[in-house]
Amino acid sequence: MDAIATISPGHAGILIWAVWGLIGLFEGLVASRVLGRRRVVFIDVVIGIVSAILAGILSTNFIGDTPVQLFLISVMAAIFASALVLWIFGILLYKNEERFNR
């Protein structure tokens, strides 16, 4: 729990970076598995990791007062932002596939 206490808006510890990365990795794998179609797993994983880390960084800089709040809010932001970006990417990819298959 000491690692959580070191999180500040200007400095995120290595633990939180790892958590954000794992969230993005997991969501990318789930998105490619669940949504199937012609999705590329590598692209889904990269999009998931990048969006989760970006959401975590932005949330620690702009939201929360205490270290525990920062940790929990950044994890929730990473989960929701990564899912949202993967969902939007899936919609855009699916619409393009429909247009080319006509």
Side-chain angles (χ1 to χ4, degrees):
M1 291 302 280
D2 290 336
I4 294 174
T6 62
I7 299 171
S8 65
H11 171 66
I14 190 73
L15 169 71
I16 193 69
W17 283 84
V19 170
W20 296 334
L22 288 174
I23 288 170
L25 174 71
F26 178 74
E27 288 198 16
L29 291 173
V30 168
S32 65
R33 176 78 176 163
V34 171
L35 298 177
R37 298 190 208 122
R38 295 182 184 171
R39 296 181 71 103
V40 178
V41 176
F42 178 73
I43 293 173
D44 285 338
V45 168
V46 169
I47 290 173
I49 290 172
V50 169
S51 61
I53 289 175
L54 233 107
I57 290 170
L58 291 174
S59 67
T60 56
N61 286 327
F62 298 115
I63 302 173
D65 292 333
T66 65
V68 175
Q69 280 181 340
L70 287 173
F71 177 75
L72 295 176
I73 291 172
S74 71
V75 167
M76 290 184 344
I79 291 169
F80 291 123
S82 181
L84 180 68
V85 170
L86 285 166
W87 178 65
I88 291 170
F89 178 72
I91 288 174
L92 294 175
L93 184 68
Y94 184 66
K95 286 191 183 255
N96 285 338
E97 283 181 6
E98 282 183 353
R99 185 172 29 187
F100 290 126
N101 288 334
R102 287 184 187 175

